[in-house]
Structures are given as structure tokens and as C-alpha cells.
Amino acid sequence: MARVRLSVAQRREELLRAAIEQIEARGVAAVRIADVAAALGVSNALVLYHFSTKEKLVAEAFAHAAEDDLAHLRKLLGRRTSALRRLRTAVRWYAPTGQAKGWRLWIEGWAVALREPALREVTQDLDRQWKAAITEVIAEGMAGGEFRCPDPTGAALRLTALLDGLAVQMTAYSGAVSRARTQEWVDDALARELGLERAALTAATR
């Protein structure tokens, strides 16, 4: 059967999604242009036509994944409910026990970003936008009297540092931390940062 002819934008998205899947499966260092091409049944030349080097393909694949995650984060934080409900939902989604991005992909990205400026820019931008979104909701909850948090920016940084660190532990060392214990620690940290009793987090989901 002949392949459906895709627009340039559709083809690029198809290639980026295939690249993300291959990076998750093989790792950035091992993945090749040929792997992405084979996954879609296209030629290496077609991949190189859209992305002239493997480095550009990888950087744009991570940018694509980042935008997907940020779009979902904005959706969660934009709901018409209390700041606490929105924040807890977003943190639970982002946490390594939730349904956020494939953590293996991002751990790979962080490692490669140490040597690749283009990828470093992508991961730093995602990090900045995530922290800014969390900071904004904490500040909103402060203004509305929901939270007691004198430093929303610091709270957002500490929360994300905890979540990222737990993700590395759970991804790199299978069984190092249970999902139940991880969620307990995340809830403890969230309550502490917001100046709330732990029970308030449970009440927020009812």
C-alpha cells in the first residue's frame, strides 16, 4: 500500500515523535538517523532533508516533547477551581508516580545537555517555564489566603528539585523507592511548602 502523502508540518511531527520513541528505547548516544527512518519505513535521506543532522533532530525532538508537557501543564493549572486543587493535580501529574512525560527521555536529555548547547537550551527553557507556572499558582493561592508561603519562587524550585530527584531514583534504580512512599514524600513536601496540614491535601481532592 502506498504511503499517504503528508504535508511538511505533518511529516516533521511524525519524524519528531518517532525520534522521541527511539530515544526513549535506545538512548540519545545510541540512536541513529537510520533507526528513526526504519521505524517509519522511510529513507535516511528523508529524515536528513527535514533535520540536517542527528543533533538537530534530537534537539527538536526534545523541544517537541517539552511543548507537549507544557501544554498539558497549562491545561491543568488553568482549570476553574482552587489554587490548591490545581497545584496538587499538576504536581501529581508531574511526579514520577504520575502520567507525565517519560522520565527516561528527560534523564537522557539532562545528561546530553551537559555537552550539547542546543539541547541545554531546550531543557533549561522547560525548567524555567515549569517553575514559573508553579510559582504563579502558589502566589495566587497566597493572595487568596489559601496558602502560607513567604517565598513562592523558592517553594517551586524546591518542589521541582524533589520531583526530579525522585524521578532519577525511580528510573535509574528500579525498586529503590516505592510509588506509595514517593507519593507520601511529595504530599509531605507540598503541604510543608504551602504552610498547610497534610489533611488539607486530601480534602482538596474531595
Short mmCIF file of all heavy atoms in Angstrom, two decimals, residues 70-104:
data_model
loop_
_atom_site.label_atom_id
_atom_site.label_comp_id
_atom_site.label_asym_id
_atom_site.label_seq_id
_atom_site.Cartn_x
_atom_site.Cartn_y
_atom_site.Cartn_z
N LEU A 70 4.33 21.11 28.48
CA LEU A 70 3.94 22.45 28.93
C LEU A 70 2.48 22.74 28.60
O LEU A 70 1.77 23.38 29.39
CB LEU A 70 4.86 23.50 28.31
CG LEU A 70 6.28 23.53 28.86
CD1 LEU A 70 7.17 24.40 27.99
CD2 LEU A 70 6.28 24.04 30.31
N ALA A 71 2.02 22.28 27.45
CA ALA A 71 0.62 22.49 27.08
C ALA A 71 -0.30 21.79 28.07
O ALA A 71 -1.34 22.33 28.48
CB ALA A 71 0.37 21.98 25.66
N HIS A 72 0.08 20.56 28.48
CA HIS A 72 -0.75 19.84 29.45
C HIS A 72 -0.69 20.51 30.81
O HIS A 72 -1.71 20.60 31.51
CB HIS A 72 -0.30 18.39 29.56
CG HIS A 72 -1.24 17.54 30.35
ND1 HIS A 72 -2.50 17.21 29.89
CD2 HIS A 72 -1.14 17.00 31.59
CE1 HIS A 72 -3.13 16.48 30.80
NE2 HIS A 72 -2.32 16.34 31.84
N LEU A 73 0.49 20.99 31.21
CA LEU A 73 0.62 21.69 32.48
C LEU A 73 -0.27 22.93 32.50
O LEU A 73 -0.97 23.18 33.49
CB LEU A 73 2.08 22.09 32.71
CG LEU A 73 2.36 22.92 33.97
CD1 LEU A 73 2.04 22.12 35.22
CD2 LEU A 73 3.81 23.39 33.98
N ARG A 74 -0.25 23.70 31.43
CA ARG A 74 -1.10 24.91 31.37
C ARG A 74 -2.57 24.54 31.47
O ARG A 74 -3.37 25.27 32.09
CB ARG A 74 -0.82 25.67 30.07
CG ARG A 74 0.59 26.24 29.96
CD ARG A 74 0.75 27.07 28.70
NE ARG A 74 2.14 27.37 28.45
CZ ARG A 74 2.86 26.80 27.49
NH1 ARG A 74 2.31 25.91 26.68
NH2 ARG A 74 4.13 27.12 27.33
N LYS A 75 -2.95 23.43 30.86
CA LYS A 75 -4.34 22.98 30.92
C LYS A 75 -4.73 22.65 32.36
O LYS A 75 -5.81 23.04 32.83
CB LYS A 75 -4.53 21.75 30.03
CG LYS A 75 -5.94 21.21 30.01
CD LYS A 75 -6.05 20.01 29.09
CE LYS A 75 -7.47 19.43 29.11
NZ LYS A 75 -7.57 18.23 28.21
N LEU A 76 -3.86 21.93 33.08
CA LEU A 76 -4.15 21.57 34.47
C LEU A 76 -4.24 22.80 35.36
O LEU A 76 -5.12 22.90 36.22
CB LEU A 76 -3.07 20.62 35.00
CG LEU A 76 -2.98 19.23 34.36
CD1 LEU A 76 -1.81 18.47 34.98
CD2 LEU A 76 -4.27 18.46 34.55
N LEU A 77 -3.31 23.74 35.16
CA LEU A 77 -3.27 24.92 36.03
C LEU A 77 -4.30 25.97 35.64
O LEU A 77 -4.56 26.90 36.40
CB LEU A 77 -1.87 25.54 35.99
CG LEU A 77 -0.75 24.66 36.57
CD1 LEU A 77 0.59 25.39 36.49
CD2 LEU A 77 -1.05 24.26 38.01
N GLY A 78 -4.91 25.82 34.47
CA GLY A 78 -5.90 26.79 34.00
C GLY A 78 -7.33 26.44 34.37
O GLY A 78 -8.26 27.16 34.01
N ARG A 79 -7.52 25.32 35.07
CA ARG A 79 -8.87 24.91 35.43
C ARG A 79 -9.50 25.89 36.41
O ARG A 79 -8.81 26.55 37.19
CB ARG A 79 -8.85 23.50 36.05
CG ARG A 79 -8.49 22.42 35.04
CD ARG A 79 -8.36 21.07 35.70
NE ARG A 79 -8.15 20.01 34.73
CZ ARG A 79 -7.87 18.76 35.03
NH1 ARG A 79 -7.77 18.39 36.30
NH2 ARG A 79 -7.70 17.86 34.08
N ARG A 80 -10.82 25.96 36.39
CA ARG A 80 -11.54 26.88 37.27
C ARG A 80 -11.86 26.19 38.59
O ARG A 80 -12.96 25.72 38.82
CB ARG A 80 -12.83 27.36 36.59
CG ARG A 80 -12.56 28.21 35.36
CD ARG A 80 -13.82 28.85 34.84
NE ARG A 80 -13.56 29.74 33.72
CZ ARG A 80 -14.47 30.50 33.15
NH1 ARG A 80 -15.73 30.46 33.57
NH2 ARG A 80 -14.15 31.28 32.14
N THR A 81 -10.86 26.14 39.44
CA THR A 81 -11.02 25.56 40.76
C THR A 81 -9.99 26.22 41.67
O THR A 81 -9.31 27.15 41.26
CB THR A 81 -10.85 24.03 40.70
OG1 THR A 81 -11.13 23.48 41.98
CG2 THR A 81 -9.45 23.64 40.27
N SER A 82 -9.89 25.75 42.89
CA SER A 82 -8.97 26.39 43.84
C SER A 82 -7.52 26.22 43.40
O SER A 82 -7.17 25.30 42.65
CB SER A 82 -9.16 25.78 45.23
OG SER A 82 -8.69 24.44 45.25
N ALA A 83 -6.68 27.13 43.89
CA ALA A 83 -5.25 27.04 43.59
C ALA A 83 -4.68 25.73 44.13
O ALA A 83 -3.83 25.11 43.49
CB ALA A 83 -4.52 28.23 44.19
N LEU A 84 -5.15 25.29 45.29
CA LEU A 84 -4.64 24.06 45.87
C LEU A 84 -4.99 22.85 45.01
O LEU A 84 -4.14 21.99 44.78
CB LEU A 84 -5.21 23.87 47.29
CG LEU A 84 -4.77 22.58 48.00
CD1 LEU A 84 -3.25 22.49 48.07
CD2 LEU A 84 -5.38 22.52 49.40
N ARG A 85 -6.22 22.76 44.53
CA ARG A 85 -6.60 21.65 43.66
C ARG A 85 -5.75 21.62 42.40
O ARG A 85 -5.27 20.57 41.98
CB ARG A 85 -8.08 21.75 43.29
CG ARG A 85 -9.04 21.24 44.35
CD ARG A 85 -10.48 21.42 43.86
NE ARG A 85 -11.44 20.92 44.82
CZ ARG A 85 -11.93 19.68 44.84
NH1 ARG A 85 -11.51 18.82 43.91
NH2 ARG A 85 -12.79 19.29 45.74
N ARG A 86 -5.59 22.79 41.79
CA ARG A 86 -4.81 22.85 40.55
C ARG A 86 -3.36 22.47 40.78
O ARG A 86 -2.76 21.73 40.01
CB ARG A 86 -4.91 24.26 39.96
CG ARG A 86 -6.24 24.53 39.28
CD ARG A 86 -6.31 25.94 38.71
NE ARG A 86 -6.54 26.91 39.77
CZ ARG A 86 -5.94 28.10 39.84
NH1 ARG A 86 -5.05 28.45 38.94
NH2 ARG A 86 -6.24 28.93 40.81
N LEU A 87 -2.81 22.99 41.87
CA LEU A 87 -1.39 22.73 42.16
C LEU A 87 -1.17 21.26 42.48
O LEU A 87 -0.23 20.64 41.97
CB LEU A 87 -0.93 23.61 43.32
CG LEU A 87 0.56 23.53 43.67
CD1 LEU A 87 1.41 23.92 42.46
CD2 LEU A 87 0.87 24.45 44.85
N ARG A 88 -2.02 20.69 43.32
CA ARG A 88 -1.82 19.28 43.66
C ARG A 88 -2.00 18.38 42.45
O ARG A 88 -1.25 17.41 42.26
CB ARG A 88 -2.80 18.85 44.76
CG ARG A 88 -2.41 17.47 45.33
CD ARG A 88 -3.34 17.04 46.41
NE ARG A 88 -2.83 15.86 47.09
CZ ARG A 88 -3.53 14.74 47.30
NH1 ARG A 88 -4.76 14.65 46.85
NH2 ARG A 88 -3.00 13.73 47.93
N THR A 89 -2.97 18.69 41.59
CA THR A 89 -3.17 17.90 40.38
C THR A 89 -1.93 17.97 39.49
O THR A 89 -1.47 16.95 38.96
CB THR A 89 -4.40 18.40 39.60
OG1 THR A 89 -5.56 18.26 40.42
CG2 THR A 89 -4.60 17.59 38.32
N ALA A 90 -1.38 19.18 39.33
CA ALA A 90 -0.20 19.35 38.47
C ALA A 90 1.01 18.61 39.04
O ALA A 90 1.75 17.94 38.31
CB ALA A 90 0.11 20.83 38.31
N VAL A 91 1.21 18.71 40.35
CA VAL A 91 2.36 18.05 40.98
C VAL A 91 2.22 16.54 40.89
O VAL A 91 3.18 15.82 40.61
CB VAL A 91 2.50 18.51 42.45
CG1 VAL A 91 3.48 17.61 43.21
CG2 VAL A 91 2.98 19.96 42.50
N ARG A 92 1.01 16.03 41.09
CA ARG A 92 0.79 14.58 40.99
C ARG A 92 1.01 14.09 39.56
O ARG A 92 1.50 12.98 39.35
CB ARG A 92 -0.61 14.22 41.47
CG ARG A 92 -0.74 14.26 42.99
CD ARG A 92 -1.73 13.24 43.47
NE ARG A 92 -1.54 12.97 44.88
CZ ARG A 92 -2.00 11.88 45.49
NH1 ARG A 92 -2.66 10.97 44.79
NH2 ARG A 92 -1.81 11.69 46.77
N TRP A 93 0.63 14.90 38.60
CA TRP A 93 0.86 14.53 37.20
C TRP A 93 2.35 14.52 36.87
O TRP A 93 2.85 13.61 36.21
CB TRP A 93 0.13 15.51 36.27
CG TRP A 93 0.55 15.41 34.85
CD1 TRP A 93 0.25 14.41 33.96
CD2 TRP A 93 1.39 16.33 34.14
NE1 TRP A 93 0.85 14.66 32.74
CE2 TRP A 93 1.54 15.83 32.82
CE3 TRP A 93 2.01 17.53 34.49
CZ2 TRP A 93 2.31 16.49 31.87
CZ3 TRP A 93 2.76 18.19 33.53
CH2 TRP A 93 2.90 17.66 32.23
N TYR A 94 3.07 15.51 37.35
CA TYR A 94 4.49 15.65 37.06
C TYR A 94 5.34 14.63 37.80
O TYR A 94 6.38 14.19 37.31
CB TYR A 94 4.93 17.06 37.44
CG TYR A 94 6.38 17.41 37.16
CD1 TYR A 94 6.74 17.96 35.93
CD2 TYR A 94 7.38 17.21 38.11
CE1 TYR A 94 8.06 18.31 35.67
CE2 TYR A 94 8.69 17.56 37.86
CZ TYR A 94 9.03 18.10 36.64
OH TYR A 94 10.33 18.44 36.40
N ALA A 95 4.90 14.25 39.00
CA ALA A 95 5.69 13.35 39.84
C ALA A 95 5.95 12.03 39.13
O ALA A 95 5.17 11.61 38.26
CB ALA A 95 4.96 13.10 41.16
N PRO A 96 7.04 11.34 39.49
CA PRO A 96 7.37 10.07 38.81
C PRO A 96 6.34 8.97 39.03
O PRO A 96 6.42 7.93 38.40
CB PRO A 96 8.73 9.70 39.42
CG PRO A 96 8.82 10.49 40.69
CD PRO A 96 8.08 11.75 40.44
N THR A 97 5.35 9.20 39.91
CA THR A 97 4.28 8.22 40.09
C THR A 97 3.09 8.55 39.21
O THR A 97 2.11 7.80 39.18
CB THR A 97 3.80 8.20 41.56
OG1 THR A 97 3.37 9.52 41.92
CG2 THR A 97 4.92 7.78 42.48
N GLY A 98 3.14 9.68 38.51
CA GLY A 98 2.00 10.12 37.72
C GLY A 98 2.11 9.78 36.25
O GLY A 98 2.81 8.85 35.85
N GLN A 99 1.42 10.57 35.41
CA GLN A 99 1.34 10.27 33.98
C GLN A 99 2.09 11.30 33.14
O GLN A 99 1.78 11.50 31.98
CB GLN A 99 -0.14 10.23 33.55
CG GLN A 99 -0.94 9.17 34.26
CD GLN A 99 -0.40 7.79 34.01
OE1 GLN A 99 -0.09 7.44 32.88
NE2 GLN A 99 -0.29 6.98 35.06
N ALA A 100 3.06 11.97 33.72
CA ALA A 100 3.80 12.99 32.99
C ALA A 100 4.74 12.34 31.98
O ALA A 100 4.73 11.14 31.76
CB ALA A 100 4.60 13.86 33.96
N LYS A 101 5.56 13.18 31.39
CA LYS A 101 6.49 12.75 30.36
C LYS A 101 7.26 11.50 30.74
O LYS A 101 7.45 11.21 31.91
CB LYS A 101 7.48 13.88 30.10
CG LYS A 101 8.21 14.31 31.36
CD LYS A 101 9.11 15.48 31.06
CE LYS A 101 9.78 15.96 32.33
NZ LYS A 101 9.22 17.12 32.91
N GLY A 102 7.75 10.74 29.74
CA GLY A 102 8.59 9.60 30.02
C GLY A 102 9.86 10.07 30.68
O GLY A 102 10.67 10.77 30.07
N TRP A 103 10.05 9.71 31.95
CA TRP A 103 11.19 10.24 32.68
C TRP A 103 12.52 9.77 32.10
O TRP A 103 13.52 10.48 32.17
CB TRP A 103 11.08 9.86 34.15
CG TRP A 103 10.20 10.82 34.89
CD1 TRP A 103 8.93 10.60 35.33
CD2 TRP A 103 10.53 12.16 35.24
NE1 TRP A 103 8.45 11.74 35.93
CE2 TRP A 103 9.40 12.71 35.90
CE3 TRP A 103 11.65 12.96 35.06
CZ2 TRP A 103 9.37 14.00 36.38
CZ3 TRP A 103 11.62 14.27 35.54
CH2 TRP A 103 10.49 14.78 36.19
N ARG A 104 12.54 8.60 31.50
CA ARG A 104 13.79 8.12 30.90
C ARG A 104 14.25 9.10 29.81
O ARG A 104 15.45 9.38 29.67
CB ARG A 104 13.58 6.72 30.31
CG ARG A 104 14.85 6.08 29.82
CD ARG A 104 14.60 4.64 29.43
NE ARG A 104 14.15 3.84 30.56
CZ ARG A 104 14.95 3.31 31.46
NH1 ARG A 104 16.26 3.49 31.37
NH2 ARG A 104 14.47 2.60 32.45
#
